[in-house]
Amino acid sequence: MDYILIGKIINTHGLKGELKIKSSSFFDDERYAVNNTVYLKEENSYIPMKIATYRRVKDLPLISFKEYQDINLVEPFKNMEIYFNKADRKPLKDGRHYIDELIGMRTVDEEGNIIGAVSAVESTNGAQNNLRIQREGMKDALIPMIPFFVTDIDDDTHTITIHITEGLL
């Protein structure tokens, strides 16, 4: 099974076993839906957990697990990472991509000159996301993920075309 990281448990909340999550998913409502199975990573194993409750407080997801409805039972889960099974992921509409699909893609300018490879997709807390491009022998570049700069994502060639403007790189 392939697993994808969707968050990290940062603390408990209340006495009924709720957990605060620092999410790395753009699909919290789907990932943490009641009755979904997520996986807690403990050393080299993935422990399946069924979600009992999901809600948001102060823009953070709060979840609880079935059969773990007490703070004393969930304390050991603090700082554990949460994953889901990649096979359970729904396909996105044309032109949309999951973050892990972009990681490793080659980036080129509009003339086909290689810029580098995507090493991360970084959130900017409300604005667009940025592609972090690792460039050989140079500092990383941050490219805003907006159509003006990201002009094409070609899944067949695993290539992202970037419109370069003065000062971007």
Side-chain angles (χ1 to χ4, degrees), residues 2 18 26 39 49 65-66 100 112 115 122 127 155 161 164:
D2 284 335
E18 283 188 304
F26 293 113
Y39 300 84
M49 305 293 277
F65 299 124
K66 292 188 178 190
D100 67 293
I115 300 169
E122 299 178 0
D155 294 318
T161 303
I164 305 299

Side-chain angles (χ1 to χ4, degrees), residues 9-21 53 55-58 60-64 68-72 74-75 78:
I9 298 169
I10 56 175
N11 209 344
T12 59
H13 181 83
L15 300 175
K16 296 183 180 180
E18 283 188 304
L19 298 161
K20 284 185 190 178
I21 309 299
T53 63
R55 64 189 180 110
R56 297 188 74 81
V57 172
K58 295 185 180 176
L60 286 176
L62 292 180
I63 63 172
S64 68
Y68 293 90
Q69 301 288 301
D70 182 276
I71 189 171
N72 297 312
V74 298
E75 276 286 333
K78 287 195 323 192

Side-chain angles (χ1 to χ4, degrees), residues 17 19 42 51 84 86 112:
L19 298 161
E42 185 174 44
I51 294 184
F84 84 102
K86 188 174 184 176

Side-chain angles (χ1 to χ4, degrees), residues 7-152:
K8 183 175 182 176
I9 298 169
I10 56 175
N11 209 344
T12 59
H13 181 83
L15 300 175
K16 296 183 180 180
E18 283 188 304
L19 298 161
K20 284 185 190 178
I21 309 299
K22 180 180 180 190
S23 182
S24 54
S25 173
F26 293 113
F27 307 97
D28 289 349
D29 292 345
E30 288 180 34
R31 300 290 174 249
Y32 303 117
V34 173
N35 291 320
N36 275 4
T37 299
V38 295
Y39 300 84
L40 298 184
K41 186 174 183 183
E42 185 174 44
E43 295 179 17
N44 291 327
S45 62
Y46 295 87
I47 304 160
M49 305 293 277
K50 187 78 85 172
I51 294 184
T53 63
Y54 163 71
R55 64 189 180 110
R56 297 188 74 81
V57 172
K58 295 185 180 176
D59 212 32
L60 286 176
L62 292 180
I63 63 172
S64 68
F65 299 124
K66 292 188 178 190
E67 302 183 20
Y68 293 90
Q69 301 288 301
D70 182 276
I71 189 171
N72 297 312
L73 298 174
V74 298
E75 276 286 333
F77 300 152
K78 287 195 323 192
N79 297 314
M80 291 179 90
E81 293 177 332
I82 303 173
Y83 291 78
F84 84 102
N85 183 348
K86 188 174 184 176
D88 294 338
R89 180 163 66 184
K90 296 177 181 137
L92 295 175
K93 296 175 186 169
D94 286 342
R96 306 281 315 248
H97 295 82
Y98 288 106
I99 289 174
D100 67 293
E101 294 173 332
L102 300 175
I103 306 298
M105 278 193 161
R106 180 175 69 126
T107 58
V108 297
D109 64 18
E110 292 170 307
E111 284 77 47
N113 300 311
I114 296 174
I115 300 169
V118 176
S119 61
V121 177
E122 299 178 0
S123 174
T124 57
N125 295 325
Q128 80 287 332
N129 292 325
N130 291 324
L131 294 175
R132 178 170 290 278
I133 309 296
Q134 193 170 29
R135 302 183 297 165
E136 194 171 316
M138 304 167 93
K139 285 179 70 174
D140 289 357
L142 288 176
I143 309 295
M145 279 196 65
I146 58 174
F148 180 79
F149 293 112
V150 178
T151 60
D152 185 53

